[in-house]
């Protein structure tokens, strides 16, 4: 019920999921078969294949943290990335996606990784450092030199575009 | 870190589950998602954070900390019946805060804010969720099934208390997996139904069922609407290729299309259908036939159909029910306009709230890095382009500041001059356009008056709309050319300036046309409304043709030029602002025309429908994705605002002026013979007198009374004033809260610095003797006690410490900055505090030497703690995909401290070795105190006479005082 509004696409999503590997996924899900699709298949979806964060997305939403997804993980992923997901939820998962080392803070190394993913490693080290410093300087409210989830959410609230950009259309 | 320990561990009453529950309820804020809601608790939260770090020996912060804290402290309180563990926990807290229970510093429970015990619901949910959705399930051995169950129970209880709607919302917002959400929901439902079956009877069940089925029905409609969503696939494709800012245009187009469909349905349903049902055949004169040119001009044949005002009659249609055509016409148009206004106001206000009130342009880099990436982009080429665009933009933003400062006064003046010149030029252009259109209209009129009505004559009517549309197309291009010569410091201002000029141009043109229609046309024609309707029809059609031409010239030609002739221009971008303005202009025409030509929305629907496909093809064939990631949401707000403010309000006032002040033509239309359109209502009211007096009363005393409107205006102004004041107050509050957050941050870093400092001295000094004396002396201590395990532990400690030092060296070489230091230091702090705890237990042991079980117990616990720390660490090794050195260094510290702890515990067991740990405690406590006093004297000599406990607590007091002082300073600061 939590995701009732998106349930109508669940059927659609299931077919998408199944299309990735018809030989692995049974049509009949009544007995809750334990099926996991490997990351290679998930990451090759047209919606994800060009996304610089595809691996992180898959890792964050998969139960095992390796990017291998069950149907439920798959549904979760697209429900969070859908239009209807509340902002806080989106911000939470976006934070996790950017948090490459899973320490619950966006520290400089996370930001550098994000930056390198977004700019194809074409900035000099000096520039990367400056940008990261600037980002932390702008968004870090409590001056601990890294961004906590609160800092991040605070920033998201002030960036109304985020809702439309953190969105994958199915 | 602004997540506070809400566990309220200081209060013994906390361990009572009831209190916990009650407190949580009572202190739950309405907008609990605000993590800064309980700001003033930071002081205690801070402390709690540190303490907690100490407890867990964990180097993770924030959420996991929170979740652990919550999960650990809550269940301990009321599940475990094992008194040992409870007392242990109590001890931990005590020792970390107070060195000795009966020291002179006693934080009395009454002094603490009660609300610090409250659990922020959202936080806690996230806490659980963090664990649930943790990438490494079961990574924490301290986390057991029981605790999870319990946490879940609390969550369910909280959810049950909410209304159903709220429940759904909250559950949807839980960051948990699908499976877990379903589970939670099932539990909530079960809980609810069991509760209801006890208390309520059939009636409430029934109402429940009804509301449930209503809700389901609502969801069904919603989902049906979504599956039937128009152009879903195309939207996805456009979004995937061009990003969401270009998609804004298409969404806007779709929204306007919906508007027109609604408008068409209303007009067709309430005005046209009754007339057609009554009299199907239009009364067309025999000499008029359909020739084809009407499709363009709207004159001739169309003039006699229901297309225009003239085609409607003023009769009361007598059928099954009497249908007063006049009233129907008037009220349909009026209600449609009012509904449009309401929809616009609501969407505008909503958009403002979401996109403007909260938006903050200050954090540009952060936004560019973390929020601007469009996840919906699925096109490889676009992704590559976006990446290089982002790179360019970041570089620009880095160099922007240096560029700004270089402007001299003369340069500035020159710039202002250019701006002024451009403004004068564009304004005079717009005014000139308006004037020329007015004279053109007059010329056309004279030409038409001179000769008989012929086909050529009819074609001549196309001249005015042609010129108007041409101006609408060409002059904006000129404006953008002008815009290129102006150097704006920021891009947004440039866009706004361009937008403003275009709006001005269109307003002037429409204003002139309206003036002509209102003042000149009524005097010249016997049946003037259809003439205005025709003019509007022509404008709509010709505008459509020019939109098509515009996308041909604007996009296709510049694409050809950019790719074939002049490659330096490059492939054109889709100009969202210009295209959206075209749409707004088209919609304004439809609004103005609604009174004169009720079926104009049908033409508009067709136009927008074709335009959508046309623009889509033109976009995909000719354009490239936008180079700059502009803030699409804000642009959208501006578009809606523009649609509302000059354009809709203008159209509305024009229609209202026509209805109130102008005399309807005497020969045709539903209102012929009346003084003005509004007198329809007067006649209707006069007819009602006697039958329904209340309507008459309302009309006389409210609609027609100036006093009523005067009072209404007064009340609204008062309300606005009150809200304005409220807003000012809130602004102030926001400023204060933000300052407070910053202060908390400073506070924290201050404390961390202090601790780090303390820790440094702490690790230096004991390290000193060890290094100087070498392991042998310490080992001889161990030898005297005759315990092999002791020396083993010592060796371990030394090794661990060495490891740590290596780590630290490496780190300093690597230049890793603040964050890792902080986490390392927090790990150190944890270790330190754990150690203090152990030492306190040692003291207990000294005080009661005969009580061996307690010491053993302490030892056991230390062992267990160590085991846990090791387990943690192992899990970390096993699980962390991106392993960094910080973890290892922190765990090294932990290990060292744990090992040392054990060593001391061991020694503590041995009565022969009593003085050694005591003195080491002494040393440490002395150091702590000295550091707290910020004295740089290096007195490491142990003072065996002094009692360790008071000195420790006094060190604590010193630290507290220093902190207080810092706090005061910061407070004074702002």
């Amino acid at each position: 019920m939590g995701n009732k509004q998106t349930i109508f696409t669940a059927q659609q999503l299931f077919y998408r999921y199944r299309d990735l590997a018809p030989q692995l996924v049974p049509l009949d899900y009544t007995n809750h078969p334990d099926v996991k699709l490997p990351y290679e298949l998930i990451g090759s979806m047209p919606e994800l294949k060009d996304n610089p964060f595809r691996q992180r997305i898959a890792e964050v939403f998969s139960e095992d943290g390796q990017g291998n997804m069950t149907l439920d993980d798959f549904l979760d992923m697209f429900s969070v990335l859908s239009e209807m997901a509340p902002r806080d939820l989106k911000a939470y998962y976006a934070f996790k996606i950017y948090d490459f080392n899973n320490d619950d803070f966006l520290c400089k190394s996370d930001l550098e990784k994000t930056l390198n993913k977004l700019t194809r490693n074409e900035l000099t080290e000096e520039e990367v450092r400056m940008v990261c410093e600037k980002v932390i300087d702008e968004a870090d409210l409590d001056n601990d030199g890294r961004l906590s989830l609160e800092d991040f959410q605070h920033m998201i609230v002030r960036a109304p575009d985020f809702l439309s950009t953190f969105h994958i259309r199915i | 870190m602004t997540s506070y320990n809400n566990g309220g561990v200081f209060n013994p009453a906390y361990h009572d589950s009831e209190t916990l529950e009650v407190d949580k309820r009572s202190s739950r804020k309405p907008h609990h998602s605000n993590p800064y809601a309980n700001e003033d608790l930071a002081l205690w939260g801070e402390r709690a954070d540190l303490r907690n770090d100490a407890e867990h020996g964990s180097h993770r912060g924030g959420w996991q900390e929170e979740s652990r804290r919550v999960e650990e402290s809550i269940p301990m309180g009321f599940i475990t019946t094992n008194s040992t563990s409870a007392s242990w926990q109590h001890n931990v807290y005590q020792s970390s805060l107070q060195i000795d229970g009966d020291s002179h510093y006693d934080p009395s429970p009454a002094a603490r804010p009660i609300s610090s015990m409250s659990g922020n619901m959202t936080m806690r949910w996230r806490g659980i969720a963090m664990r649930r959705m943790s990438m490494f399930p079961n990574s924490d051995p301290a986390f057991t099934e029981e605790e999870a169950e319990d946490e879940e129970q609390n969550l369910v209880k909280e959810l049950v208390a909410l209304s159903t709607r709220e429940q759904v919302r909250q559950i949807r917002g839980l960051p948990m997996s699908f499976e877990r959400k379903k589970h939670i929901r099932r539990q909530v439902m079960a809980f609810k139904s069991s509760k209801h079956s006890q208390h309520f009877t059939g009636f409430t069940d029934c109402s429940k069922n009804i509301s449930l089925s209503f809700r389901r029905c609502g969801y069904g409609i919603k989902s049906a609407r979504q599956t039937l969503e128009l152009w879903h696939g195309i939207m996805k494709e456009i979004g995937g290729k061009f990003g969401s800012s270009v998609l804004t245009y298409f969404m806007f187009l779709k929204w306007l299309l919906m508007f027109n469909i609604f408008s068409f349905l209303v007009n067709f349903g309430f005005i046209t259908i009754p007339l057609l049902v009554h009299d199907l055949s239009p009364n067309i004169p025999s000499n008029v036939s359909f020739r084809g040119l009407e499709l363009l001009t709207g004159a001739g044949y169309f003039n006699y159909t229901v297309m225009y005002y003239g085609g409607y009659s003023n009769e009361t249609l007598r059928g099954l029910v009497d249908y007063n055509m006049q009233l129907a016409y008037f009220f349909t148009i009026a209600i449609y306009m009012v509904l449009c206004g309401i929809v616009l106001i609501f969407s505008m206000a909503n958009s403002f709230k979401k996109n403007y009130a909260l938006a903050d342009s200050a954090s540009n880099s952060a936004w560019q890095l973390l929020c601007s990436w469009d996840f919906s982009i699925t096109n490889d080429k676009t992704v590559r382009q976006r990446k290089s665009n982002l790179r360019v933009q970041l570089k620009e933003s880095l160099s922007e500041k240096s560029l700004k400062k270089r402007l001299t006064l003369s340069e500035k003046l020159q710039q202002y001059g250019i701006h002024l010149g451009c403004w004068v030029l564009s304004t005079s252009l717009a005014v000139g356009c308006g004037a020329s259109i007015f004279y053109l209209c007059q010329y056309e009129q004279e030409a038409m008056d001179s000769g008989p009505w012929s086909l050529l004559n009819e074609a001549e009517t196309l001249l005015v709309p042609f010129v108007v549309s041409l101006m609408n197309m060409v002059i904006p291009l000129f404006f953008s050319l002008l815009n290129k010569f102006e150097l704006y410091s920021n891009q947004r201002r440039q866009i706004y300036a361009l937008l403003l000029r275009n709006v001005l141009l269109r307003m002037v043109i429409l204003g002139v046309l309206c003036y002509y229609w209102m003042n000149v046309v009524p005097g010249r024609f016997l049946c003037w409304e259809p003439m205005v309707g025709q003019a509007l029809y022509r404008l709509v059609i010709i505008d459509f043709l020019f939109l098509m031409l515009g996308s041909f010239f604007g996009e296709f030609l510049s694409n050809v030029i950019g790719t074939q002739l002049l490659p330096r221009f490059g492939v054109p971008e889709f100009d969202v602002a210009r295209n959206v303005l075209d749409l707004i202009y088209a919609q304004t025409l439809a609004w103005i025309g609604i009174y004169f030509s009720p079926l104009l929305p049908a033409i508009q629907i067709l136009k927008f429908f074709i335009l959508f496909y046309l623009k889509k093809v033109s976009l995909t064939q000719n354009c490239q994705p936008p180079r700059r990631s502009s803030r699409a949401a804000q642009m959208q707000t501006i578009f809606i605002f523009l649609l509302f403010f000059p354009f809709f309000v203008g159209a509305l006032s024009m229609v209202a002026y026509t209805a109130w002040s102008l005399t309807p033509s005497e020969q045709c239309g539903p209102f012929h013979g009346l003084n003005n359109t509004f007198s329809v209502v007067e006649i209707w009211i006069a007819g009602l007198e006697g039958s329904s007096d209340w309507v008459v009363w309302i009309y006389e005393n409210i609609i027609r009374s100036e006093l009523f409107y005067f009072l209404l205006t007064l009340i609204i102004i008062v309300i606005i004033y009150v809200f304005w004041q409220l807003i000012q107050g809130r602004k102030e509050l926001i400023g204060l809260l933000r300052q407070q957050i910053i202060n908390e941050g400073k506070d924290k870093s201050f404390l961390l610095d202090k601790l780090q400092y303390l820790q440094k001295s702490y690790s230096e000094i004991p390290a000193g003797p060890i290094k100087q004396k070498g392991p042998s002396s310490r080992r001889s201590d161990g030898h005297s006690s005759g315990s092999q395990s002791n020396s083993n532990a010592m060796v371990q400690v030394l090794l661990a410490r060495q490891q740590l030092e290596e780590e630290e060296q490496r780190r300093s070489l690597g230049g890793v900055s603040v964050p890792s230091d902080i986490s390392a230091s927090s790990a150190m702090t944890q270790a330190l505090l754990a150690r203090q705890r152990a030492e306190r237990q040692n003291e207990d042991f000294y005080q009661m030497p005969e009580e061996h079980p307690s010491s053993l117990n302490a030892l056991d616990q230390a062992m267990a703690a160590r085991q846990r720390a090791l387990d943690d660490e192992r899990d970390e090794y096993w699980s962390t995909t991106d392993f960094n050195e910080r973890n290892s260094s922190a765990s090294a510290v932990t290990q060292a401290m744990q090992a040392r702890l054990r060593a001391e515990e061991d020694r503590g067991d041995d009565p022969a070795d009593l003085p050694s740990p005591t003195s080491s405690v002494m040393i440490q406590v002395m150091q702590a105190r000295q550091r707290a006093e910020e004295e740089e004297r290096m007195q490491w000599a142990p003072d065996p006479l002094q009692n360790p406990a008071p000195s420790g607590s006094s060190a604590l007091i010193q630290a507290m005082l220093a902190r207080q002082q810092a706090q005061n300073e910061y407070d004074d600061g702002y």
Side-chain angles (χ1 to χ4, degrees), chain B residues 46 89 96 122 153 165 233 241 332 358 431 477 512 595 742 871 942:
Chain B
E46 211 81 84
Q89 201 188 18
S96 63
T122 326
Q153 285 305 319
R165 209 187 166 80
K241 245 184 167 172
T332 306
L358 293 170
V431 172
L477 291 178
V512 166
Y595 177 82
I742 293 167
D871 282 354

Side-chain angles (χ1 to χ4, degrees), chain B residues 714-773:
Chain B
L714 214 63
I715 290 169
I716 287 175
I717 287 174
V718 167
I719 290 174
I720 288 174
Y721 179 73
V722 168
F723 275 105
W724 179 259
Q725 287 302 315
L726 266 179
I727 287 170
Q728 294 305 316
R730 296 239 163 101
K731 266 185 192 162
E732 227 163 88
L733 188 71
I734 287 170
L736 284 177
L737 286 176
R738 192 173 295 168
Q739 191 60 42
Q740 209 164 351
I741 291 170
I742 293 167
N743 283 347
E744 292 303 336
K746 281 181 188 163
D747 228 13
K748 196 177 75 176
S749 59
F750 169 76
L751 269 185
L752 277 174
D753 280 351
K754 271 233 128 66
L755 267 166
Q756 221 170 341
Y757 197 46
L758 191 80
Q759 182 56 41
K760 233 186 235 164
S761 69
Y762 180 70
S763 59
E764 264 170 19
I765 303 351
I770 289 171
K771 276 191 177 163
Q772 282 155 17
K773 291 182 199 166

Side-chain angles (χ1 to χ4, degrees), chain B residues 136-171:
Chain B
F136 318 106
N138 311 322
S139 65
D140 186 359
F143 163 68
T144 65
E145 277 305 306
E146 268 176 51
E147 289 167 2
E149 290 278 285
D150 212 72
E151 195 47 51
E152 200 179 284
Q153 285 305 319
N154 283 341
L155 175 60
V156 168
K157 264 183 218 159
E158 277 162 11
L159 280 172
V160 166
L162 300 171
S163 71
T164 321
R165 209 187 166 80
E166 193 70 359
Q167 259 175 35
V168 173
R169 214 174 59 81
Q170 297 282 15
I171 291 179

Side-chain angles (χ1 to χ4, degrees), chain A residues 1-2 5 47 50 72 76 98 104 113 117-118 122 127 138 142 149 158 160-161 165 167 169-170, chain B residues 1 63-64 130 172 177-179 185 222 232 236 247 360 366 370 375 378 391 633 738 745 882:
Chain A
M1 176 99 167
Q5 285 193 357
E47 278 82 4
D50 292 309
D72 273 348
D76 264 339
Y98 293 133
D104 298 319
K113 272 186 191 164
K117 274 194 187 301
L118 287 182
E122 279 172 7
E127 282 166 337
E138 280 169 1
D142 51 5
L149 180 58
R158 290 154 166 277
D161 280 309
T165 53
H167 175 198
R169 289 180 180 83
I170 270 294
Chain B
M1 204 188 308
W63 298 102
Q64 252 148 344
M130 201 65 184
R172 191 176 300 144
S177 70
F178 203 59
E179 199 59 32
R185 193 184 129 66
K222 254 185 192 166
H232 181 83
K236 186 187 164 190
L247 195 63
D360 178 22
L370 295 175
F375 279 69
T378 53
R391 184 172 53 89
R738 192 173 295 168
D882 184 23

Side-chain angles (χ1 to χ4, degrees), chain A residues 36-80:
Chain A
K36 259 190 189 177
L37 292 189
Y39 164 70
E40 287 73 33
L41 283 174
I42 300 289
S44 69
M45 283 181 74
E47 278 82 4
L48 289 176
K49 75 173 171 25
D50 292 309
N51 196 317
F53 297 105
R54 60 185 177 280
Q55 184 155 11
R56 276 303 295 169
I57 295 176
E59 278 171 13
V60 164
F61 285 101
S62 60
E63 194 78 32
D64 62 357
Q66 308 291 319
N68 308 322
M69 292 194 141
T70 62
L71 178 62
D72 273 348
D73 295 339
F74 191 77
L75 290 178
D76 264 339
M77 175 167 76
F78 281 108
S79 99
V80 168

Side-chain angles (χ1 to χ4, degrees), chain B residues 466 469-470 473-474 477 545-562 572-573 578-579 614-615 618 622-623:
Chain B
F466 181 82
S469 303
L470 194 69
M473 195 180 81
V474 174
L477 291 178
L545 294 179
F546 268 82
L547 280 180
M548 291 208 275
L549 276 180
S551 57
F552 175 77
F553 283 112
E555 283 133 28
F556 175 71
L557 268 192
S558 51
N559 181 34
V560 170
I561 291 171
E573 283 175 39
R578 188 169 57 85
N579 280 295
L614 194 86
K615 283 287 172 189
S618 163
N622 302 325
C623 296

